[in-house]
Amino acid sequence: SLQSFAALRGAGSPPAARQSKLVMGPWSHVNYSNAVGDLDFGFRAQMALMNLQSDLTGLTLRWFDHWLKGVENGIAAEPPLRLFVMGANSWRDEAEWPLARAVNTPFYLRAGGALSAEPPAAEPPDGFVYDPADPTPTLGGNLLMHTLYNPGPRDQRPVEARADVLSYTTPPLERDTEVTGPLLVKLWAT
């Protein structure tokens, strides 16, 4: 969805395609409330009460009223992107995706489970033994599965404690840090 939005905005044809809009909320595929997974993002996060100003159905109706019925309701003049910033638990309108002010910040997997802004030097590899008879379970995340597997953010410590899981962590951050933008992973494994 994010790549399609950026492509339509940048090179859509006909010009009306460049008027696409995107809403990014903290919801899972089937849960549009404020509580997702182990986290509650607050009352304003609900799809039905986005920032206590609008709801997704209302935005959709305004969009179709404008483009299919010619109703001048102001939606074309609004910023094309509305995103929910987790942690701050607030909505923000943006002009583009990816955000022009975003700063790409590389992090490197380091021996012993460290995640660092410093590239590794000569370090031993990390490893684990995979046993298909004891697969690593799924806890949360971006799921579209049976209700036994609840989507959303979940405490991953039970999975990370397994001997067949590698986990990498930074030292405590010195200040609040927003991560908003495309993520890219380059991973070499043998």
Side-chain angles (χ1 to χ4, degrees), residues 1-17:
S1 296
L2 297 173
Q3 290 172 339
S4 295
F5 170 76
L8 283 169
R9 296 287 303 176
S13 179

Side-chain angles (χ1 to χ4, degrees), residues 15-163:
R18 294 187 178 158
Q19 299 298 313
S20 62
K21 302 239 183 209
L22 180 68
V23 175
M24 281 193 283
W27 319 296
S28 67
H29 186 73
V30 295
N31 180 2
Y32 307 110
S33 72
N34 47 295
V36 181
D38 289 343
L39 298 180
D40 186 335
F41 295 107
F43 195 66
R44 296 170 182 253
Q46 295 179 55
M47 185 185 286
L49 296 164
M50 293 168 37
N51 214 25
L52 304 179
Q53 296 174 352
S54 63
D55 63 279
L56 192 59
T57 301
L59 285 174
T60 304
L61 287 173
R62 288 179 59 225
W63 172 259
F64 284 120
D65 283 348
H66 175 77
W67 289 104
L68 299 179
K69 297 179 179 179
V71 175
E72 290 301 327
N73 54 22
I75 197 159
E78 294 174 7
L81 175 61
R82 180 168 294 165
L83 62 88
F84 187 82
V85 181
M86 294 187 286
N89 292 352
S90 62
W91 289 94
R92 189 170 69 215
D93 291 334
E94 294 288 352
E96 76 278 317
W97 184 266
L99 305 180
R101 68 182 180 279
V103 177
N104 291 334
T105 307
F107 280 87
Y108 301 90
L109 305 180
R110 304 290 301 270
L115 181 63
S116 170
E118 297 297 320
E123 296 180 5
D126 289 333
F128 65 92
V129 175
Y130 169 69
D131 179 1
D134 185 22
T136 305
T138 296
L139 290 179
N142 189 14
L143 300 176
L144 182 56
M145 296 172 63
H146 186 275
T147 55
L148 176 65
Y149 302 97
N150 293 317
R154 301 273 176 202
D155 184 353
Q156 298 298 312
R157 286 178 290 187
V159 173
E160 292 171 354
R162 290 174 55 114

